[in-house]
Amino acid sequence: MEEQVSKILKNALQEIEQAKELKILEDVKVKYLGKKGELTALLKMMGGLSNEERPKMGSLVNSAKSEIEEKLEVKEMSLQSEELAKKLESERIDVTLPATKARRGSKHPLNRVIEEIEDLFVSMGYDVVSGPELETDEYCFERLNLPKGHPARDMQDSFYISPEYLLRTQTSAVQARTMMANKEKTPIRVIVPGKTFRREDDATHSHQFNQVEGLVVDENISFADLKGTLEIFMKHMLGENTELRFRPSYFPFTEPSYEVDVSCFKCGGKGCNLCKQTGWIELLGAGIVHPNVLKMNGYDPEKYSGFAFGTGLDRLAMFKYGITDIRLLYGNDIRFLTQFDRKD
Ligand code: FA5
């Protein structure tokens, strides 16, 4: 039996030594120490030995078992670290490979136009202010000299939420808000870019669009100030050769009121299909603030006068970038939006 033990021990140690993978090592462990293993079988035979032989053989088998276990453990650790090293090597990231290209967003053409306008007016000393998109009838119409039932309200088909609240149809609502919020009734010089809403929908009209409002209130403000300001504004946006044409118009909150056309930037005023052969493109409404509006919002019309203008930002962006359908501005199509990356 002694011989048997030393043979098993020798074989086991040799097989452990030769094992190249953890899986093989596990098989060796089962072969010798498992329930039906060779060394386990010897242990089971102990009961059949004489009392004299049993302690000697017992200690021999047990020390062989400990030695096998010890060697198994050492080999297992070394195989584990070898396999880990192999795995690390095979899964190593090659940092020199070209990276997957990250997709960069680009600024929306409307935001480009808004930022350009803000920069210009801030450089002239204006503040940029905002107002609520869900507006009251009072600020959207009444405080702008458009009492309930006024026929000019029909021009702005509206989304009413309740008899009192509507989605604002014009940024002019913020004219009244700015005047009312200025408790000291000091001079005002603001622009208001923002979303506006009307029940309209075709290639040049959207149910949601953007306007930028301008309001100046001070002593001795005249039409010359309005004209000069709009000239700077439009030349800056559409080019130095742009000319302006003021046509008499009607807005209840300005008197006199104008529709302002700019010379067609495509044909330079000669006439083309863009300007419908007229040489002019209508771009904004403007005028001298109506004394009623000053009075209703706490300004003394004897002391103060002002001018205001409101332009459609979508139309400006369309002209500037040659966009033919307003709905493209709201479609969120990345193929459309990325085109403006290069057009600064
Ligand atoms: C107004 O909204 C006035 N509040 C402008 C104003 C301000 C006049 C201050 C006097 C003093 P109007 O309804 O014309 O005016 O609209 C102004 C501009 O908004 C239009 O020239 C057009 O460019 C744009 N606009 C109007 N409706 C739409 C629409 N449905 N979709 C896109 N743009 C629109």
Side-chain angles (χ1 to χ4, degrees), residues 170 172 198 200 205-206 209 211 213 251 253 285 309-310 312 326:
Q170 50 184 356
S172 300
R198 293 183 196 177
E200 295 169 336
H205 293 85
S206 167
F209 56 106
Q211 288 189 333
E213 192 84 8
F251 295 104
F253 34 93
F309 61 86
I326 192 169

Side-chain angles (χ1 to χ4, degrees), residues 78-97:
S78 101
L79 282 179
Q80 267 172 351
S81 60
E82 258 174 50
E83 285 191 11
L84 180 67
K86 254 192 243 161
K87 201 166 169 220
L88 286 176
E89 178 65 23
S90 69
E91 290 177 5
R92 196 170 53 154
I93 296 167
D94 183 353
V95 290
T96 62
L97 281 175

Side-chain angles (χ1 to χ4, degrees), residues 194-205:
K195 291 193 191 81
T196 40
F197 309 84
R198 293 183 196 177
R199 258 194 69 209
E200 295 169 336
D201 194 8
D202 60 35
T204 54
H205 293 85

Side-chain angles (χ1 to χ4, degrees), residues 155-156 169-172 175 198 200-201 204-211 213-214 251 253-254 257-259 282-287 308-315 326:
M155 310 259 288
Q156 301 188 2
T169 56
Q170 50 184 356
T171 43
S172 300
Q175 283 190 34
R198 293 183 196 177
E200 295 169 336
D201 194 8
T204 54
H205 293 85
S206 167
H207 58 278
Q208 179 197 302
F209 56 106
N210 281 268
Q211 288 189 333
E213 192 84 8
F251 295 104
F253 34 93
T254 46
S257 301
Y258 309 92
E259 291 284 356
E282 182 199 318
L283 215 52
L284 42 89
F309 61 86
T311 181
L313 281 174
D314 310 72
R315 195 170 280 191
I326 192 169

Side-chain angles (χ1 to χ4, degrees), residues 6-44:
S6 69
K7 197 171 154 214
I8 288 173
L9 179 64
K10 190 171 158 241
N11 289 346
L13 295 181
Q14 197 175 359
E15 283 174 43
I16 290 170
E17 192 54 44
Q18 283 164 357
K20 291 265 180 299
E21 291 172 28
L22 283 167
K23 172 82 188 62
I24 296 171
L25 196 65
E26 184 59 32
D27 291 344
V28 175
K29 188 175 177 181
V30 172
K31 182 176 171 191
Y32 292 98
L33 305 180
K35 260 193 210 156
K36 293 179 186 159
E38 290 181 22
L39 206 65
T40 318
L42 281 188
L43 277 166
K44 280 182 192 158

Side-chain angles (χ1 to χ4, degrees), residues 41-53:
L42 281 188
L43 277 166
K44 280 182 192 158
M45 283 164 59
M46 286 295 155
L49 294 178
S50 65
N51 285 347
E52 293 83 53
E53 267 185 320

